[in-house]
Amino acid sequence: MTVTQAAFFVRRPDREPRDNRWSILALLCLSLLLITVDATVLHIAVPALTAALEPSAVQLLWIVDVYSLVVAPLLIMFGTLGDRYGRKRLVIAGFVLFGIASAAAAASTTPMTLILSRALLGVGGAMIMPATLSLIRQVFTDRRERAIALGVWSAVAAAGAALGPLIGGLLVGWWWGAVFLINVPILLVLLPAAVRLLPESRERGGRPWDALSAVLSVLGILALAFGLKEAGSGSLMPLGAAVAVFLGGVALLVWFVRRQTRLAAPLLEVGLFRSREFTTGVAGVLLGVFALVGLQLMLAQYLQLVLGDSEVRAAFRMLPLVISAIAGGLAAAHILPRIGMRATMSGGLGLVALSLTPTLSWGVESHPVMLACCFVGIGFGVQVSLLAASDTIMSSATESHAGGAAAIEETAYELGAGLGVAVLGTITTIVYAPALPTVPGVPGPGMDQARQSLAGAAHVADQVGGSAGSALLDAARWAFVNALHTTVVVSVVLLSLTALAVAMLLRRDRGV
């Protein structure tokens, strides 16, 4: 670029984003991929992480889950801050924080340090994610090109969660901290590219920002999750206190919703939920990601700790999930116009429920072909239903509320990921612990640790060794299979009820 051309672009800053729109899309999608992959990248790394840091069952759930549960309540807040102070600034700050937190997570030597580092990763991810969608809408002014860009964004968002275990499996064979450290060189490339390419934006600089609403949403979600985890494990507080924390979270969220209805410029456009189609679409996103992310964690542990797969082998055994999710995203664009939103979304959720059903007959034996078929059905069904739900959400909102609708969809995505691990992980822990009997030759403290999680039992069995260690691992595997069956039943029921609700609530001609 010559000096004259550079001066021209300084005088006409609106030209550069337009000219570099596809480069900006690539930058934003790679940023989004980092965020969504981090939600599931630890699923394959759980056994190696447990052996290295020896976390309790609740600490392990927080290590896996705190990222998504921090991202979810912060999306609305940072989306509003980006509108007020500039999205480019927020993205750059998010890159810096995400890189620092990634390095801190890789260097963690205790479970609490890793939990705090993962929480910081969530803050960084929440600073970046809302701006990716908003900047796409800003840069792509042509409606046809914008539709293509949003389709790519949606595919990356959904595929990231499916790619997480694969990437984690490939890296953890070297060292579990590599799943975090890999972010640092990528961010060192993204940061200068963001400084050069991303446009400035202060579209609503005068829009008021309500700090109390932000605090209520963050504390409400975290209290809800913490109370749910403690009600299932009771490791830090008795059941009554855990229920009180959970109800406190509910009260804070009720206060948050009521406050939004009274504000002239709310953080969350709760009025959008008056639309039946919009609410149904949000429920579809929430339940779809809930099933995908929560079950990924359970099935990854099943592959490694029940069937005995290595991290790399388990990652490749889950590859059909990734491929089918990508195929589902491509197919949904053709399916949706032909059969409509209602049939596409309910059919996708129903396919996921149907694909999970064969796992109820499995024990500790291997089912390689059927397992691959189940992964194909889960990946394809989730992605088809997610794209249909996204289309339902955006078509139900007016143009003036499009930004608020997108923020709600992103929040539902991250909240679904967090609740999937929290709820299904808690159910698994509740059923697993009492199903593991005392094994002769294993000391009491060892049995207590083994009842925390299957990964913990594998670690104790390795320490004890001999026939007692083998007996403990065998008993723990059967206890986990029993817990997995319960978790699958809950998932199948929720998915089936959601598919039925979608079929009843959405109009037949929506999206046709």
Side-chain angles (χ1 to χ4, degrees):
M1 180 181 290
T2 66
V3 175
T4 304
Q5 288 172 320
F8 176 77
F9 281 116
V10 168
R11 291 193 302 269
R12 292 286 308 278
D14 56 302
R15 285 286 304 277
E16 188 172 351
R18 171 68 184 169
D19 292 344
N20 294 318
R21 60 193 183 281
W22 297 110
S23 299
I24 292 173
L25 177 63
L27 170 65
L28 295 175
C29 285
L30 185 55
S31 307
L32 179 66
L33 190 63
L34 279 180
I35 298 166
T36 53
V37 162
D38 254 63
T40 59
V41 73
L42 285 183
H43 289 187
I44 292 288
V46 163
L49 191 151
T50 301
L53 302 183
E54 299 186 5
S56 68
V58 173
Q59 286 175 328
L60 185 60
L61 282 178
W62 275 109
I63 288 170
V64 174
D65 207 17
V66 69
Y67 175 81
S68 292
L69 291 177
V70 168
V71 170
L74 293 178
L75 285 171
I76 300 292
M77 182 183 78
F78 281 124
T80 310
L81 286 176
D83 289 340
R84 185 174 184 182
Y85 296 109
R87 298 171 190 138
K88 180 176 181 177
R89 293 180 183 179
L90 210 61
V91 169
I92 292 171
F95 281 165
V96 173
L97 182 58
F98 204 86
I100 293 171
S102 295
S108 296
T109 56
T110 65
M112 186 54 64
T113 306
L114 184 54
I115 290 170
L116 293 175
S117 299
R118 290 274 287 168
L120 280 178
L121 274 170
V123 176
M127 295 171 74
I128 299 166
M129 190 171 182
T132 61
L133 193 55
S134 300
L135 286 168
I136 287 173
R137 293 176 182 276
Q138 175 186 342
V139 172
F140 287 88
T141 55
D142 179 78
R143 292 188 63 182
R144 184 183 63 82
E145 288 188 346
R146 185 189 300 169
I148 295 171
L150 290 175
V152 172
W153 183 94
S154 177
V156 170
L163 281 170
L166 177 62
I167 294 172
L170 294 175
L171 292 174
V172 78
W174 172 47
W175 168 50
W176 70 264
V179 300
F180 300 112
L181 201 59
I182 191 65
N183 293 337
V184 176
I186 296 174
L187 287 165
L188 289 175
V189 174
L190 289 179
L191 186 58
V195 172
R196 185 173 63 87
L197 290 175
L198 294 185
E200 296 286 356
S201 58
R202 293 187 186 180
E203 295 176 6
R204 293 183 288 176
R207 181 183 175 90
W209 184 75
D210 188 51
L212 179 57
S213 293
V215 171
L216 290 174
S217 65
V218 172
L219 293 182
I221 294 292
L222 290 179
L224 206 70
F226 185 77
L228 181 64
K229 291 174 185 294
E230 283 301 302
S233 65
S235 63
L236 299 178
M237 60 178 64
L239 179 61
V243 172
V245 171
F246 178 85
L247 294 177
V250 172
L252 288 172
L253 292 177
V254 170
W255 183 6
F256 169 77
V257 171
R258 295 189 65 178
R259 184 172 179 81
Q260 302 316 293
T261 61
R262 297 168 182 162
L263 291 174
L267 290 184
L268 182 69
E269 298 284 354
V270 294
L272 291 168
F273 287 95
R274 296 190 185 99
S275 166
R276 186 173 64 182
E277 287 79 11
F278 181 87
T279 304
T280 304
V282 171
V285 170
L286 190 70
L287 265 295
V289 178
F290 177 100
L292 176 65
V293 176
L295 288 168
Q296 265 189 339
L297 176 59
M298 303 302 114
L299 291 172
Q301 293 183 70
Y302 176 79
L303 289 174
Q304 294 178 83
L305 299 173
V306 175
L307 300 186
D309 288 351
S310 67
E311 291 92 347
V312 175
R313 179 174 170 79
F316 277 103
R317 291 273 294 269
M318 297 184 78
L319 191 58
L321 187 69
V322 180
I323 297 172
S324 61
I326 296 171
L330 297 174
H334 301 284
I335 295 172
L336 189 60
R338 288 173 170 79
I339 66 174
M341 295 181 191
R342 185 175 76 168
T344 304
M345 196 192 311
S346 62
L349 293 170
L351 176 60
V352 178
L354 184 64
S355 301
L356 285 170
T357 304
T359 64
L360 295 174
S361 63
W362 295 354
V364 297
E365 68 282 356
S366 180
H367 301 270
V369 176
M370 184 56 69
L371 182 68
C373 292
C374 289
F375 279 147
V376 168
I378 293 169
F380 190 89
V382 166
Q383 181 66 356
V384 166
S385 61
L386 280 178
L387 288 182
S390 178
D391 198 48
T392 303
I393 290 169
M394 298 313 296
S395 64
S396 300
T398 62
E399 185 65 29
S400 60
H401 288 141
I408 292 172
E409 180 184 348
E410 292 168 348
T411 303
Y413 184 97
E414 292 298 331
L415 189 57
L419 290 179
V421 174
V423 174
L424 299 185
T426 299
I427 291 171
T428 302
T429 301
I430 291 172
V431 178
Y432 166 79
L436 180 58
T438 300
V439 177
V442 180
M447 285 305 307
D448 291 339
Q449 184 179 351
R451 289 191 177 101
Q452 292 287 312
S453 66
L454 179 56
H459 184 58
V460 172
D462 184 60
Q463 289 181 327
V464 173
S467 59
S470 299
L472 173 62
L473 188 56
D474 186 58
R477 284 170 173 166
W478 278 107
F480 182 82
V481 168
N482 183 49
L484 179 62
H485 289 168
T486 304
T487 304
V488 168
V489 168
V490 171
S491 300
V492 168
V493 170
L494 285 174
L495 288 164
S496 300
L497 290 176
T498 307
L500 181 62
V502 168
M504 294 175 62
L505 294 175
L506 285 186
R507 297 184 181 92
R508 183 184 298 273
D509 58 348
R510 282 297 287 179
V512 177

